[in-house]
Amino acid sequence: MSDTPFTFSIPNPGFIPSRVDNHITRRLSALRGQFLDQDAYARLLDREDTLLYAVNEIKRPAAAGELLMGVSIVHPGKVGKEFFMTKGHFHTVLDTAEVYYCLRGEGFMVMETPEGHPAVERLSPGRVLYVPPRWAHRSVCTSRQEDLVTFFTYPGNAGHDYGTIEQQGFCKLVLDTEKGIAIVDNPRWRK
Amino acid sequence: MSDTPFTFSIPNPGFIPSRVDNHITRRLSALRGQFLDQDAYARLLDREDTLLYAVNEIKRPAAAGELLMGVSIVHPGKVGKEFFMTKGHFHTVLDTAEVYYCLRGEGFMVMETPEGHPAVERLSPGRVLYVPPRWAHRSVCTSRQEDLVTFFTYPGNAGHDYGTIEQQGFCKLVLDTEKGIAIVDNPRWRK
């Protein structure tokens, strides 16, 4: 890891950064128990362990004054009525924020505090989202054709707590209904 | 200031964020002593106190886990052979980084450490620049027609130290020469 300034490009289309230190892919099997319609999940997984999203990270030291960066690409698709989404997480150091800049696609960031206060914000190209300290966050791709692509940055010491969300889910879901895209309460959510 | 998540857009063209908490403008008179050609500076200032750049900030609490954001717009132009540029600064909390995402234009980020190590990185649309902790930074617009527009984010507790650069300048200058754009040593730089 370099202690001197550096640049990298995020070429459009493709959005794979010209510098990648860590390439992460998450398939359907990595989100077991997260989607509402468990029968649809089992059927889909039986057919193929579909790629839901990829993250290309640029690494820096895990220090408070450093900033980690990366590009997240969530693919279009659904499990039952529920759109493809990321695992979602709190930061281990809860009092750390995150900034998202949307480069392509359409979707939502689903968020909540440890106390269970929800927030859902729309993402579209040219929009910036501020996730304040303490808010868990998951991105959801709602386009039928296009990836949801975001550039993100957050403090180097933040860390990831995936376990809390794996256990309790998010209190809001984003579904494709007959009346269009709907944000609904998660009936399986438990505090 | 909100403790709940929020979004804002950075519309192209224009690049004025849809949410602005602080609008800063810097004119020629604010950079007294910073440009190499002091006669050219005096002549230009005599004619008009030209707008060099504007910054639209989105504010957050001055805490380590928060992230401040904004859009910087440096206008094209020159003082003598030297391109229009920002004042440049160290962060008061020296061990804090900054991320720039270039939205439009062409230019450079001129940087240096407190020990006087220089770095100059090129900015163009779709490029991300990482300014590691400890590096002072100044953006320079080298296009003849277009603004240099960057979206930036840095830790909430970073603060600005403009005084050090005001006194000593940067050790590298970006000049428009007969052979093209040149990065040269600053003859007036002193440690």
Side-chain angles (χ1 to χ4, degrees), chain B residues 33-51:
Chain B
Q34 289 296 299
F35 289 97
L36 180 64
D37 187 337
Q38 300 188 58
D39 292 341
Y41 177 86
R43 283 195 303 275
L44 205 57
L45 186 58
D46 206 43
R47 220 168 42 228
E48 189 192 347
D49 192 5
T50 309
L51 183 65

Side-chain angles (χ1 to χ4, degrees), chain A residues 6 8 10 65-67 97 128 130, chain B residues 6 8 65-67 97 126 128 130:
Chain A
F6 60 89
F8 57 92
I10 307 178
E66 296 275 358
L67 296 167
V128 179
Y130 191 72
Chain B
F6 60 89
F8 57 91
E66 296 276 357
L67 296 166
V128 178
Y130 191 72

Side-chain angles (χ1 to χ4, degrees), chain B residues 95-118:
Chain B
D95 276 329
T96 51
E98 186 152 348
V99 171
Y100 284 82
Y101 181 78
C102 183
L103 296 167
R104 184 191 175 96
E106 295 289 336
F108 291 92
M109 191 71 72
V110 175
M111 295 164 281
E112 67 186 54
T113 64
E115 296 78 24
H117 297 299

Side-chain angles (χ1 to χ4, degrees), chain A residues 3 5-10 60 65-67 69 95-97 101 103 111 121 126-130 132-133 135 153, chain B residues 3 5-10 60 65-67 69 95-97 101 103 111 121 126-130 132-133 135 153:
Chain A
D3 278 315
F6 60 89
T7 58
F8 57 92
S9 62
I10 307 178
R60 291 294 304 167
E66 296 275 358
L67 296 167
M69 298 166 284
D95 275 329
T96 51
Y101 181 76
L103 296 168
M111 295 164 280
E121 291 283 341
R127 283 199 86 74
V128 179
L129 164 69
Y130 191 72
W135 289 78
T153 187
Chain B
D3 278 315
F6 60 89
T7 58
F8 57 91
S9 62
I10 307 177
R60 292 294 303 168
E66 296 276 357
L67 296 166
M69 299 166 284
D95 276 329
T96 51
Y101 181 78
L103 296 167
M111 295 164 281
E121 291 282 340
R127 282 200 85 76
V128 178
L129 164 69
Y130 191 72
W135 290 78
T153 186

Side-chain angles (χ1 to χ4, degrees), chain A:
Chain A
M1 258 175 293
S2 163
D3 278 315
T4 52
F6 60 89
T7 58
F8 57 92
S9 62
I10 307 178
N12 176 351
F15 299 103
I16 308 295
S18 60
R19 170 191 173 129
V20 175
D21 297 322
N22 194 20
H23 176 68
I24 299 161
T25 55
R26 300 271 192 227
R27 297 183 176 275
L28 200 53
S29 56
L31 271 81
R32 187 174 298 278
Q34 289 296 300
F35 289 98
L36 180 63
D37 187 337
Q38 300 188 56
D39 291 342
Y41 177 86
R43 282 195 304 275
L44 204 57
L45 187 57
D46 206 43
R47 219 165 49 225
E48 190 192 347
D49 193 5
T50 310
L51 183 66
L52 301 185
Y53 65 99
V55 181
N56 286 299
E57 291 182 334
I58 291 90
K59 287 287 193 188
R60 291 294 304 167
E66 296 275 358
L67 296 167
L68 298 174
M69 298 166 284
V71 174
S72 162
I73 302 181
V74 187
H75 297 306
K78 288 186 287 183
V79 176
K81 293 179 173 177
E82 200 172 3
F83 293 103
F84 282 3
M85 61 194 188
T86 63
K87 288 183 80 167
H89 59 267
F90 285 96
H91 289 163
T92 311
V93 178
L94 202 57
D95 275 329
T96 51
E98 186 153 348
V99 172
Y100 283 82
Y101 181 76
C102 184
L103 296 168
R104 184 190 175 94
E106 294 290 336
F108 292 91
M109 191 70 74
V110 175
M111 295 164 280
E112 67 186 54
T113 65
E115 296 79 23
H117 297 300
V120 179
E121 291 283 341
R122 185 183 288 273
L123 298 170
S124 60
R127 283 199 86 74
V128 179
L129 164 69
Y130 191 72
V131 183
R134 306 188 79 253
W135 289 78
H137 41 284
R138 149 180 290 168
S139 37
V140 180
C141 173
T142 57
S143 167
R144 269 72 173 161
Q145 298 95 25
E146 273 192 334
D147 294 332
L148 174 66
V149 183
T150 52
F151 172 68
F152 59 80
T153 187
Y154 59 95
N157 66 326
H160 295 90
D161 162 19
Y162 288 105
T164 306
I165 293 299
E166 272 173 7
Q167 280 175 26
Q168 75 186 27
F170 278 85
C171 58
K172 295 289 182 185
L173 304 178
V174 184
L175 302 183
D176 193 20
T177 72
E178 284 132 33
K179 294 175 187 165
I181 295 167
I183 294 156
V184 302
D185 289 336
N186 179 359
R188 293 163 59 223
W189 183 72
R190 59 184 185 282
K191 282 303 304 170

